[in-house]
Amino acid sequence: DYFIDLIAQVLPDIAVDRSQIVYRFSGVRPLPSHEDLPPGFVSRDYRVEHGELVADGPRLITLVGGKWTTFRASAEHLSDDTLKELGRERSVTTRGLAIGGGKGYPADERSRQAWVERHADGVGRERAAVLLARYGTIARDVIDAIVEDDDDRALETLPDFSTGELRFLAVTEDVERLADLLQRRSDLAFTGRLSREIFAEVAEAVAPVLGWDEARVGSEIARTMDQLAALHGWQASADANIPA
């Protein structure tokens, strides 16, 4: 109700109702205690507290609150405070260090086009562009895996994904369950692009590299469907091609 009301205030010309919800989830934020103050009014910022484990004992530095989007700032703050306690100075900083797919990411359209051109062999420019947008510069590793996969093909249910791409994710991203791929290694669940047919095709695509037999594939599909329906509001009759 809160989100739907907020959308109506910010985007009054766009009608949104519960029937359009394709996926739901919630998380737990570590808010510091503020006695009777309602959680909505508690700061989402972090703080660093200094103390002692016991009187005159080892120093204790505690991080309170915070969130993923401030992890670099909190880590720098913690390490600076720790270095100060140890009487040492910082010698290395990661403030300007790009990580993951952001490392070496093209800074402008000309650079992006040049990157796509360099990595188009074997997959084509259009596919290379899609993978760059999806994975950042890690797309080069995805492309290499696709080219080396003798059985790579576009999925019938998800033409913008391929079997080789999914197998790369399964092998390199510590995938244990079908839900890992659908919810945490891709945006498929988040954007409502799920159906029984998609469950089956994705599971069958990664089964060879994960060592799943037919029985395991079936159990993964059933388990994921039950989990998504019970915890995330997925409906088997929902349109699998709702745009993000």
Side-chain angles (χ1 to χ4, degrees):
D1 290 340
Y2 167 77
F3 282 120
I4 290 175
D5 180 61
L6 186 62
I7 292 172
Q9 294 180 42
V10 178
L11 304 169
D13 296 329
I14 299 179
V16 175
D17 59 48
R18 286 177 175 272
S19 68
Q20 295 168 291
I21 298 174
V22 297
Y23 183 75
R24 65 174 184 251
F25 71 97
S26 63
V28 178
R29 191 180 298 286
L31 299 179
S33 175
H34 277 71
E35 298 180 353
D36 295 331
L37 187 66
F41 293 96
V42 178
S43 172
R44 267 52 179 170
D45 201 359
Y46 72 89
R47 69 171 185 262
V48 176
E49 297 184 347
H50 291 246
E52 297 176 339
L53 287 172
V54 294
D56 299 322
R59 298 288 294 166
L60 178 67
I61 302 176
T62 304
L63 173 66
V64 181
K67 52 186 177 179
W68 283 116
T69 49
T70 59
F71 84 94
R72 286 230 194 183
S74 61
E76 183 176 7
H77 191 160
L78 280 170
S79 57
D80 282 343
D81 283 17
T82 302
L83 288 170
K84 185 176 181 180
E85 291 281 356
L86 296 173
R88 300 176 62 180
E89 294 185 358
R90 174 181 291 281
S91 59
V92 176
T93 180
T94 64
R95 181 173 294 187
L97 178 66
I99 61 176
K103 187 175 183 180
Y105 193 85
D108 52 41
E109 181 59 21
R110 182 176 180 179
S111 299
R112 191 189 73 84
Q113 292 290 348
W115 191 100
V116 167
E117 192 67 41
R118 288 197 307 273
H119 296 86
D121 289 349
V123 295
R125 298 182 77 261
E126 183 177 351
R127 179 72 171 141
V130 168
L131 294 173
L132 175 63
R134 183 174 291 161
Y135 300 109
T137 53
I138 292 176
R140 63 179 177 274
D141 299 326
V142 182
I143 292 171
D144 289 343
I146 289 173
V147 172
E148 294 172 4
D149 192 314
D150 295 332
D151 191 34
D152 178 69
R153 57 177 175 77
L155 271 65
E156 294 182 8
T157 56
L158 295 167
D160 56 324
F161 281 83
S162 76
T163 54
E165 175 186 354
L166 292 176
R167 285 192 278 269
F168 171 84
L169 294 177
V171 171
T172 62
E173 294 293 324
D174 298 320
V175 168
E176 294 290 338
R177 297 282 189 176
L178 178 59
D180 290 337
L181 270 175
L182 301 178
Q183 294 182 263
R184 292 172 286 277
R185 309 301 191 273
S186 71
D187 65 357
L188 294 174
F190 186 79
T191 54
R193 301 176 65 195
L194 294 180
S195 69
R196 287 190 180 92
E197 293 75 20
I198 288 174
F199 290 138
E201 193 170 17
V202 171
E204 289 167 1
V206 299
V209 296
L210 295 179
W212 292 354
D213 57 17
E214 187 176 345
R216 177 65 185 273
V217 168
S219 68
E220 286 295 327
I221 294 171
R223 182 180 189 274
T224 303
M225 288 175 60
D226 290 344
Q227 179 179 327
L228 286 170
L231 302 179
H232 303 285
W234 175 77
Q235 298 180 33
S237 61
D239 183 358
N241 295 304
I242 296 174

